[in-house]
Amino acid sequence: MRGIVPPQKHSFQSPLNFSRRIPELDGLRGVAIIVFLFFHYIREAIAARPPELLGYLHESTRLLWSGVDLFFVISGFLIAGILLDVRDSPNYFATFYIRRFCRIFPIYFLFLGIVGLAYRYVFGPVGAPLNWIFYTNLPPYSFFSFTQNIWMAKVNILGPPILGITWSLAIEEQFYLVLPAIIRFVRRSALPYVFIAGIVIAPLVRIFIAARYPSHGWATYVLLPCRMDSLFLGALCAYWVREPGLWNGLAKHRETMWLVFFALILGMPALNNRGVPLTFLYVTFGYGWMSLFYSTFLMLTLTNTPGVFGRIMRWNWLARLGEIGYCVYLFHVGIYIFCMLLLAGHGWRLASWSDFGVTLIALAITLGFAKLSWKYFEKPIVKWGHRWHY
């Protein structure tokens, strides 16, 4: 998350200045948020099926499930990069966890508090008609301890939509418990082999769970060992861009990366089957395929920042969306649901063309709230956390 300085003429040395924010990464986060907003506000809300026109849109966008893998790749890249740059710091663990706490916990617990108030004062009086929004057999403490993904795997549900999205935050927090120790104590030259091992092990774990526990398919989606390929691919990219020899190789062979990028796109229709993300094809190859696609996208952006991807990722509005993306991710589903209930008089589904207007209202409220939250709540806390130095 730091800035860009131009590369030296006739040199393939990394142009990335890791002491400053990289604006392209905010843009990439903005892309991930757009994917999520489209998936939940449009794709999942469309009731039509082929041969209706919107039905074809619904059927052709199943792979937008994978937007979370773009988040994971970016997270692996950023967190591993930060830790690689400060791995010898005497304040390594303390500073990392204080800063992560300030970034993740305050807005997350505010979110849980608002959900709790809605449960008390909205669900309480109304009851059963709102079960689909609030009711869950997941223990409440699991959401406060970031273990909800483990319970989701155990009971094979994602929980109510207003809280179900938090499984990815649980994976992130569990990843933060593992990665700092790996980077601190494993010899630097051995780190890529550890990352590659995680990338290889993830599909094996998914295949084992799918074969051994076929009635617990969501476990392949929500457990950290099953999603290590996305996170460690990001971490591997962070390692590569910090090694001059590897960076030079990537920059010189950018055409090969483009070939890989388009080859991965050509393979996507085969993965876009009914039942994604729990089909056996997706469990075995799909997660890794999409994670490699997003990692290639990341590297094409960073190795050619004057290029098309770099220019797009530096669009101001896209970067600003990425900046407020965490709050948008937490609140967008709940805001959408309540806008539909209050303004359209029904649940999630888009029942008429007028419902698209309600969707736009929900989008405006979500973005406005997230912007205010970042300016007046999250950013001051993050700034306070950066008083601790490595």
Side-chain angles (χ1 to χ4, degrees), residues 2-3 14 16-22 77 85 238 241-242:
R2 299 167 175 98
S14 169
L16 301 176
N17 182 348
F18 298 108
S19 66
R20 291 184 292 172
R21 196 177 190 91
I22 300 175
F77 181 87
D85 292 340
V241 300
R242 285 165 172 77

Side-chain angles (χ1 to χ4, degrees), residues 136-354:
T136 179
N137 55 357
L138 303 175
Y141 66 79
S142 67
F143 293 98
F144 290 91
S145 60
F146 291 99
T147 56
Q148 61 266 51
N149 62 326
I150 298 173
W151 283 92
M152 290 172 182
K154 181 179 179 180
V155 300
N156 200 41
I157 61 170
L158 291 183
I162 199 168
L163 289 171
I165 59 172
T166 63
W167 67 269
S168 63
L169 300 179
I171 284 183
E172 292 268 5
E173 294 306 303
Q174 292 156 19
F175 183 61
Y176 296 159
L177 297 178
V178 175
L179 187 65
I182 291 174
I183 291 180
R184 178 74 169 193
F185 299 117
V186 174
R187 190 173 67 253
R188 188 182 181 95
S189 60
L191 284 173
Y193 301 102
V194 176
F195 298 155
I196 291 170
I199 295 166
V200 172
I201 290 171
L204 298 179
V205 175
R206 291 195 296 265
I207 293 170
F208 172 78
I209 291 175
R212 182 67 178 82
Y213 305 101
S215 62
H216 288 75
W218 283 114
T220 63
Y221 186 73
V222 300
L223 293 179
L224 173 61
C226 298
R227 307 309 291 272
M228 289 189 300
D229 39 5
S230 301
L231 291 159
F232 279 128
L233 270 167
L236 187 62
C237 291
Y239 180 89
W240 280 343
V241 300
R242 285 165 172 77
E243 296 296 316
L246 293 173
W247 174 271
N248 291 344
L250 290 169
K252 289 177 182 178
H253 297 91
R254 194 177 297 117
E255 295 80 5
T256 303
M257 282 197 290
W258 276 109
L259 290 175
V260 171
F261 181 76
F262 286 115
L264 292 168
I265 292 176
L266 291 175
M268 288 181 190
L271 302 173
N272 193 47
N273 296 323
R274 189 179 300 275
V276 169
L278 303 184
T279 62
F280 189 74
L281 178 63
Y282 202 82
V283 166
T284 51
F285 295 104
Y287 287 115
W289 194 278
M290 297 306 299
S291 299
L292 184 58
F293 168 75
Y294 291 129
S295 300
T296 307
F297 183 22
L298 169 68
M299 295 307 289
L300 283 171
T301 300
L302 296 181
T303 57
N304 187 23
T305 55
V308 59
F309 284 163
R311 292 198 302 271
I312 292 173
M313 293 307 115
R314 287 194 299 275
W315 286 349
N316 185 63
W317 69 269
L318 193 59
R320 297 290 76 76
L321 179 60
E323 189 176 58
I324 64 175
Y326 180 35
C327 183
V328 171
Y329 179 76
L330 284 173
F331 285 92
H332 76 283
V333 170
I335 291 174
Y336 174 83
I337 289 173
F338 281 101
C339 282
M340 279 295 175
L341 289 172
L342 295 174
L343 302 178
H346 57 75
W348 195 296
R349 296 297 183 186
L350 293 169
S352 66
W353 286 103
S354 63

Side-chain angles (χ1 to χ4, degrees), residues 35 41 45 72 85 105 121 229 235 248 259 338 390:
V35 170
Y41 283 12
F72 286 157
D85 292 340
F105 280 63
Y121 294 105
D229 39 5
N248 291 344
L259 290 175
F338 281 101
Y390 287 103

Side-chain angles (χ1 to χ4, degrees), residues 41-42 46 54 340 350 352-361:
Y41 283 12
I42 305 296
I46 291 175
L54 286 177
M340 279 295 175
L350 293 169
S352 66
W353 286 103
S354 63
D355 288 344
F356 282 98
V358 179
T359 299
L360 292 177
I361 293 172

